[in-house]
Amino acid sequence: MLFRHKLELLLVMMFTFFAFAAYQEGTGSVAWIQWTTVSKIFFFVWVFDYYFTDDSKFVFDPDADNWRRRTEA
């Protein structure tokens, strides 16, 4: 796991902690919903970054000839 991935996970955990800290039962405060939304966004950014942004993990090449040349060479 790269440093970038660890940093993104740290942000997800930090925003999740903020969401739990902002929840106060009986006050009608909805700040925890906003922090939860931010943490979900960062989580999906991390998932996308982890699975699709490394050169060796995901290659989109719809042309079968190019794919054959790349894998056989």
Side-chain angles (χ1 to χ4, degrees):
M1 195 182 314
L2 299 175
F3 175 73
R4 180 181 70 226
H5 298 143
K6 292 177 184 176
L7 182 64
E8 290 170 350
L9 278 179
L10 178 68
L11 285 172
V12 168
M13 288 187 285
M14 183 180 70
F15 288 131
T16 303
F17 175 74
F18 288 165
F20 277 109
Y23 180 74
Q24 297 173 359
E25 191 171 350
T27 62
S29 175
V30 293
W32 67 274
I33 297 173
Q34 297 165 351
W35 286 113
T36 304
T37 303
V38 171
S39 64
K40 286 180 184 180
I41 289 169
F42 272 97
F43 175 74
F44 286 113
V45 165
W46 175 78
V47 167
F48 180 82
D49 186 34
Y50 189 75
Y51 285 115
F52 299 118
T53 57
D54 192 11
D55 291 337
S56 64
K57 291 187 178 184
F58 182 78
V59 177
F60 177 72
D61 192 358
D63 188 8
D65 293 331
N66 288 339
W67 180 254
R68 270 190 230 103
R69 275 187 247 125
R70 183 177 178 146
T71 57
E72 291 174 1

